[in-house]
């Protein structure tokens, strides 16, 4: 770890791979001999277009997808996708169906509900979102325009460990907090999106990976910037793209490739998560995990301590030990350690050691 940097367990914006930050720093003042930085050059210049198109092709390569899929870069965060999805695909006759597995899944549904075109296919709200609804729990209306799932529930710390079977209904996933963290059969999805600030880059762009045939015709009544077909036809360059964000996402994708791709990411992420879950499970109930075991996330590990006073103390002492951002979301309380691709094993090891020591001195 670089001097003066901490292990940052924030959920998003989150830790970035150090080599990526350093590379960006090195080439910032003079990007590829243009005499300008990446944020000063034209988005119509060959130097920028190369960055843009390389990021796209690396992402498709990592996901094992061919040219029947397209990568789009859209602003407005993952949250804008919630309404764009409903407006582009759902109607009263063919509503958008939703699995409610946490707060972002519920927010996505709410946007369709506002328009009167949303339907709930399953929900785990009753058990405080401790589990991801199983295939058996999903009651999918076959006339649905799509089934929307949130693949990793950032706040509750649960993650899908299967791909829902939807018959002829297109499958859409919000993968904001687990995009490119593990291999998945992405070809089973018609549309995947991710606000990149969790696992892939700085806040400011949302990555969409979708089947071209699924996004090629938006309803005539939709404004230009809310239409997926605008982004598809114009290579996400209809208006000025957030060039710096896309440049950083491209660097992260290249870094993942260099590290060994999604298989390697998954191996590392599993190993990191196992260390923290072991620290929870071996604590004799001092630490209580929020997620049910078979729904546990490899990205966000959520747990509580015996009381709120100890939780405050845990956050403060962790920070003193160079472990930042471990405070959980207010809706779950307790702790949340976000351990995305960029978090090194050593950081997680340090947190697990800290957890063991903290328990011993506070029981
Ligand atoms: C953070 C997050 C969002 C919201 O992303 P914004 O880019 O802030 O709109 C949506 N879904 C999931 C799963 C998230 O983790």
């Amino acid at each position: 770890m670089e001097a003066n940097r901490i292990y940052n367990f924030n959920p998003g914006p989150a830790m970035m791979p150090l080599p990526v930050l350093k590379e960006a720093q090195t080439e910032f003042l003079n990007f590829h001999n243009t005499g300008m930085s990446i944020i000063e050059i034209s988005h119509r210049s060959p130097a920028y277009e190369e960055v843009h198109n390389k990021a796209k092709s690396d992402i498709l390569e990592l996901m094992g997808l061919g040219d029947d899929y397209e990568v789009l870069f859209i602003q407005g965060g993952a949250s804008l996708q919630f309404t764009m999805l409903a407006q582009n695909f759902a109607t009263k006759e063919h509503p958008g169906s939703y699995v409610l597995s946490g707060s972002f899944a519920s927010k996505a549904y709410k946007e369709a509900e506002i328009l009167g075109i949303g339907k709930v296919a399953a929900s785990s709200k009753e058990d405080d979102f401790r589990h991801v609804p199983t295939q058996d729990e999903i009651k999918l209306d076959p006339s649905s325009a799509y089934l929307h799932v949130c693949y990793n529930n950032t706040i509750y710390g649960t993650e899908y460990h299967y791909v829902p079977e939807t018959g002829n209904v297109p499958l859409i996933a919000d993968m904001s907090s687990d995009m490119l963290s593990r291999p998945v059969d992405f070809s089973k999805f018609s549309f995947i999106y991710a606000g990149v600030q969790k696992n892939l880059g700085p806040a400011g762009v949302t990555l969409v990976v979708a089947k071209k045939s699924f996004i090629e015709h938006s309803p005539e009544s939709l404004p230009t910037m809310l239409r997926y077909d605008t982004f598809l036809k114009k290579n996400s360059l209809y208006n000025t793209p957030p060039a710096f964000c896309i440049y950083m996402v491209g660097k992260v994708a290249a870094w993942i490739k260099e590290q060994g791709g999604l298989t390697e990411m998954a191996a590392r992420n599993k190993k990191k998560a196992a260390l923290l879950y072991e620290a929870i499970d071996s604590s004799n109930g001092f630490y209580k995990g929020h997620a049910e075991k078979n729904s546990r996330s490899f990205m966000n590990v959520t747990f509580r301590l015996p009381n709120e006073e100890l939780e405050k103390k845990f956050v403060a002492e962790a920070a003193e030990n160079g472990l930042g951002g471990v405070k959980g979301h207010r809706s779950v309380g307790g702790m949340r350690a976000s351990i995305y691709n960029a978090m090194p094993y050593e950081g997680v090891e340090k947190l697990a050691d800290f957890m063991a020591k903290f328990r011993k001195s506070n029981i």
Side-chain angles (χ1 to χ4, degrees):
M1 177 55 66
E2 189 86 346
N4 302 326
R5 281 183 58 86
I6 65 164
Y7 290 111
N8 170 8
F9 293 90
N10 271 307
M15 197 166 184
M16 293 276 293
L18 193 57
V20 167
L21 294 177
K22 284 191 162 168
E23 207 179 282
Q25 185 183 41
T26 306
E27 64 191 22
F28 191 67
L29 293 183
N30 181 7
F31 176 68
H32 288 192
N33 285 322
T34 55
M36 297 176 274
S37 72
I38 186 75
I39 64 170
E40 297 169 300
I41 65 176
S42 168
H43 59 292
R44 309 285 176 204
S45 64
Y48 175 70
E49 282 197 355
E50 194 186 322
V51 168
H52 189 92
N53 294 331
K54 182 75 166 58
K56 288 175 57 180
S57 59
D58 278 352
I59 288 163
L60 286 181
E61 187 186 322
L62 282 167
M63 296 173 83
L65 293 171
D67 62 7
D68 49 334
Y69 279 79
E70 179 70 14
V71 174
L72 312 177
F73 298 114
I74 305 179
Q75 297 187 58
S79 300
L80 184 66
Q81 294 309 300
F82 299 163
T83 190
M84 276 181 75
L85 285 171
Q87 295 193 49
N88 275 263
F89 305 121
T91 58
K92 288 221 156 55
E93 304 76 63
H94 300 291
S97 285
Y98 291 80
V99 176
L100 308 188
S101 56
S103 51
F104 291 113
S106 306
K107 283 181 174 169
Y109 166 64
K110 189 181 151 211
E111 296 301 298
E113 199 191 11
I114 288 172
L115 302 167
I117 51 180
K119 207 166 178 170
V120 176
S123 173
S124 53
K125 188 164 197 264
E126 270 184 16
D127 80 341
D128 205 10
F129 298 124
R130 284 173 198 281
H131 82 285
V132 163
T134 60
Q135 181 73 52
D136 285 347
E137 288 175 78
I138 300 175
K139 305 289 177 240
L140 178 60
D141 173 351
S143 73
S144 303
Y146 55 79
L147 179 71
H148 179 280
V149 298
C150 180
Y151 223 50
N152 182 68
N153 299 284
T154 323
I155 291 174
Y156 293 91
T158 62
E159 191 170 15
Y160 278 75
H161 298 294
Y162 74 103
V163 180
E165 207 44 73
T166 56
N168 292 324
V169 175
L171 181 59
I172 294 181
D174 176 356
M175 293 196 185
S176 290
S177 49
D178 66 345
M179 188 71 166
L180 306 188
S181 68
R182 56 180 174 156
V184 172
D185 185 354
F186 296 106
S187 69
K188 290 194 168 159
F189 296 81
S190 294
F191 190 108
I192 295 165
Y193 65 101
V196 306
Q197 71 276 17
K198 305 285 162 56
N199 199 26
L200 303 172
V205 75
T206 306
L207 176 67
V208 167
V209 181
K211 258 186 197 149
K212 283 179 183 163
S213 58
F214 187 60
I215 57 172
E216 95 203 311
H217 302 294
S218 300
E220 287 310 320
S221 59
L222 272 189
T224 312
M225 286 301 286
L226 294 180
R227 312 172 65 97
Y228 290 116
D229 59 2
T230 301
F231 290 85
L232 175 66
K233 284 184 201 132
K234 299 289 184 181
N235 191 24
S236 302
L237 289 161
Y238 171 79
N239 73 330
T240 319
F244 184 74
C245 297
I246 295 167
Y247 158 83
M248 291 299 281
V249 169
K251 287 211 177 302
V252 170
W255 175 80
I256 296 173
K257 269 175 64 176
E258 233 173 71
Q259 301 299 302
L262 301 193
T263 309
E264 176 62 20
M265 287 299 120
R268 293 183 193 177
N269 290 330
K270 261 188 192 176
K271 213 172 133 194
K272 289 185 290 180
L275 209 56
L276 294 185
Y277 288 122
E278 174 56 24
I280 292 170
D281 294 341
S282 64
S283 73
N284 279 326
F286 184 80
Y287 298 113
K288 282 199 175 62
H290 179 81
E292 271 181 19
K293 283 191 181 172
N294 53 12
S295 290
R296 281 174 163 177
S297 168
F298 296 133
M299 300 276 96
N300 311 95
V301 177
T302 49
F303 57 96
R304 307 237 28 179
L305 274 72
N307 58 58
E308 285 187 19
E309 208 173 308
L310 278 176
E311 287 175 344
K312 273 193 193 132
K313 194 173 170 201
F314 184 96
V315 173
E317 287 183 17
E320 282 163 23
N321 283 276
L323 305 164
V326 295
K327 189 173 186 296
H329 190 272
R330 58 194 176 279
S331 55
V332 183
M335 303 302 133
R336 168 176 49 180
S338 299
I339 49 172
Y340 304 119
N341 288 350
M343 173 61 68
Y345 183 77
E346 298 73 52
V348 178
E349 209 171 31
K350 215 176 152 196
L351 177 58
D353 286 349
F354 172 76
M355 286 171 73
K357 283 194 196 112
F358 187 88
R359 181 173 77 93
K360 277 201 196 104
S361 41
N362 289 283
I363 33 175

